[in-house]
């Protein structure tokens, strides 16, 4: 892999462009950082984040399936630096060289976003499965250390459970109303 070296602990670390691929054990909780997990379910979690300029996004592979982080070259601000795991200069170079730039299980890749705008990115081997993401960089961004104000992300399973609970309660209330209004003989003789 060009521009990388293996350290004594067996981690892969990029040496160009201020990016790194490293073990999740090396991840610190620094200010100005937003974490995106890459899972064996072939998703970026969360798949959309809003951050302030100067925030570093850290993509962590929390599964065992290899992934990549590759910007769509035409879907980033014109004056922004191109980013891709493996430190490629462009989208086609990253596609052509894959699996170079792959982020294995327990590894990470990071990039700092300084230019405001919308950035679209994807995982090369899982793009067709829908593994794509969006980063919105703006002055009101809420990355952890970007000034706050962003609402926490609610997992889809929690959202589904909430909707099911509200639906069940509404059904019980509707049935109670129906039985009280049109119910049987209550002995009012």
């Amino acid at each position: 892999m060009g521009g990388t070296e293996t350290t004594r602990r067996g981690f892969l670390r990029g040496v160009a462009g201020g990016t790194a691929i490293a073990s999740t054990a090396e991840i610190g909780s620094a200010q100005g950082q937003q974490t995106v997990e890459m899972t064996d379910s072939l998703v970026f979690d969360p798949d959309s984040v809003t951050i302030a300029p100067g925030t570093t996004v850290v993509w962590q592979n929390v599964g065992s399936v290899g992934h990549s982080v590759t910007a769509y070259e035409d879907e980033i601000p014109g004056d922004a630096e191109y980013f891709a795991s493996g430190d490629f200069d462009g989208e086609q170079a990253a596609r052509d060289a894959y699996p170079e730039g792959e982020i294995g299980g327990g590894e990470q890749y990071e990039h700092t976003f300084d230019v405001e705008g919308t950035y679209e990115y994807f995982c090369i081997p899982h793009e067709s499965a829908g593994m794509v993401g969006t980063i919105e960089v703006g002055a009101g961004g809420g990355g952890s250390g970007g000034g706050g104000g962003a609402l926490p992300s609610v997992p889809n399973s929690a959202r589904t459970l909430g909707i099911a609970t509200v639906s069940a309660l509404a059904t019980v209330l509707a049935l109670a109303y129906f039985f009280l209004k049109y119910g049987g003989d209550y002995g009012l003789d």
Side-chain angles (χ1 to χ4, degrees), residues 34 46 48-53 55 57 134-144 146 148 150:
Q34 171 70 45
S48 180
V49 295
T50 302
I51 58 174
T55 301
V57 175
T134 304
I135 297 172
E136 186 69 39
V137 180
S144 58

Side-chain angles (χ1 to χ4, degrees), residues 96-140:
D96 291 344
Y98 190 81
E100 187 173 336
E102 181 176 273
I103 304 164
E107 296 177 344
Q108 74 178 30
Y109 166 76
E110 65 183 48
H111 180 78
T112 302
F113 294 85
D114 295 317
V115 178
E116 291 187 18
T118 302
Y119 298 75
E120 304 280 336
Y121 65 94
F122 64 101
C123 172
I124 292 173
H126 305 118
E127 178 183 19
S128 62
M131 191 169 179
V132 296
T134 304
I135 297 172
E136 186 69 39
V137 180

Side-chain angles (χ1 to χ4, degrees), residues 7-182:
T7 66
R8 287 189 328 202
R9 289 187 259 172
F11 304 135
L12 225 54
R13 180 178 310 282
V15 294
T19 58
I21 300 173
S23 166
T24 53
E26 291 187 290
I27 299 168
S29 57
Q31 281 193 346
Q33 239 182 28
Q34 171 70 45
T35 301
V36 175
E37 293 182 345
M38 298 177 290
T39 71
D40 286 347
S41 298
L42 308 182
V43 296
F44 292 108
D45 185 22
D47 62 357
S48 180
V49 295
T50 302
I51 58 174
T55 301
T56 298
V57 175
V58 178
W59 287 270
Q60 296 176 331
N61 186 341
V62 296
S64 59
V65 175
H67 298 290
S68 77
V69 174
T70 310
Y72 286 111
E73 204 161 357
D74 297 338
E75 300 295 330
I76 64 174
D79 50 345
E81 176 185 358
Y82 182 79
F83 66 97
S85 53
D87 294 323
F88 297 99
D89 293 332
E91 180 181 343
Q92 193 58 51
R95 287 181 186 273
D96 291 344
Y98 190 81
E100 187 173 336
E102 181 176 273
I103 304 164
E107 296 177 344
Q108 74 178 30
Y109 166 76
E110 65 183 48
H111 180 78
T112 302
F113 294 85
D114 295 317
V115 178
E116 291 187 18
T118 302
Y119 298 75
E120 304 280 336
Y121 65 94
F122 64 101
C123 172
I124 292 173
H126 305 118
E127 178 183 19
S128 62
M131 191 169 179
V132 296
T134 304
I135 297 172
E136 186 69 39
V137 180
S144 58
L151 295 175
S153 174
V154 177
N156 286 336
S157 58
R159 201 172 296 143
T160 302
L161 181 60
I163 291 169
T165 302
V166 169
S167 297
L169 288 174
T171 302
V172 168
L173 288 175
L175 285 171
Y177 173 79
F178 177 80
F179 287 129
L180 288 175
K181 182 161 178 108
Y182 303 107

